[in-house]
Every structure is written in C-alpha cells, then in structure tokens.
Amino acid sequence: MAVLPILISGDPVLHQRAAEVTEFDDDLKRLVADMNDTMHAAPGVGLAGPQVGVPLRLFVYGWSDDDEVRHEGVAINPELWISPVPTGAADEEDEAEGCLSFPGERFALRRAERAILTAVDEDGEPFEVHAEGWLARIFQHEYDHLDGVIYVDRLEYPLAKAAAKAARKNGWGAEGNSWLPGRDHLED
C-alpha cells in the first residue's frame, strides 16, 4: 500500500467535524490499509482520517500492552462512552500524550480511565471494545480528531501556552503543513 502525508495542526480539515462514512467499498479498504501503513511508519499508535486529509469518521489503532497483547483495528463511524475524567493536574510522566499532527511535542493531559468504543469495521460489521488505561486514552485521542479536536486544544494554562509557543516556533497553524513518515525526520 502507501504511506500518506500527515497534516499538521492548523490545517482546516483537522479542526472540523468529520462526516460519516457511507461507502464501504474497495476505496475504503485501500484507505484503511494506507492509514495502517502510515501509522506504523510514523510510528504511532493511532491515526484518524482527518490527519491524512480525509474528513471521514474513521481511525486505525495498533498498540501492545504490558502483557504484549496486541490491540489493533479500524473504527468506522464510532461512538465512544467514557468514565468520568479524574480531577486535578495530569501526571507529566504517566499522562503525557503526543500527536502525529503536533509532531515532536508531548504534553500531559487528563483522560478518562475507561472507555467503551462501538463502531463498524471496513466490511460494515459492528463491534464493541471495552478499554482501560492507555487503550482508552488512544480511543479518546483518535475520537477527538473526528470532532475536529487536537489534544493540545484540551490543554490548560500553562501547558496550553507552551503548546501555542511550540506551534509558533515550528511555523504551524496554517493550511497545507504536513510531513511524510519515512521521508521527513521528526523527533518524538
């Protein structure tokens, strides 16, 4: 398949709600395969359609937990239910998040500990996943992309100020900025 360019924060497609997937065809299967190739090449643990310039409600994910159990798949037209988000400051080590559309930066963000994801796969078959910990975080992060939210949009002061400074320093915030995994070198 192909590795796709990943849009960087500021491109309008990243900041608008994505549309429902209505066509379950070979083009969709090719897109899912390309998104998986792109996610692995980046490397990342999730990638949403808007991040590759496709304003559709789908994301791929792939992550191995501490027991080396692999959690991977595609979620199309997902719904997400989450437990209450804990109060207080996020732990800078355990709750640090990164994003392929805000590359090379990591900021701590509180997320719900548990989530239930319902969606369909590329064949239109429904499924449900009950997730905890890091997998629940991945689902919340990718689901946000489908609603036009990048994780840095959820940060509070002073981390929001640091993220804005990083965006300015890197020249982000405008349409058309992207990077290509495997070709462009970006530090994590």
Side-chain angles (χ1 to χ4, degrees), residues 5-23:
I6 298 175
L7 298 178
I8 295 175
S9 181
D11 195 286
V13 76
L14 291 171
H15 303 283
Q16 62 192 19
R17 188 178 196 284
E20 298 285 319
V21 173
T22 58
E23 299 289 325

Side-chain angles (χ1 to χ4, degrees), residues 21-30 32 58 73-77 119-127:
V21 173
T22 58
E23 299 289 325
F24 289 80
D25 55 13
D26 288 341
D27 288 340
L28 178 64
K29 289 180 181 180
R30 192 170 17 266
V32 169
L58 78 152
V74 58
I76 300 173
N77 299 333
V120 297
D121 65 18
E122 65 266 35
D123 294 315
E125 294 297 319
F127 67 91

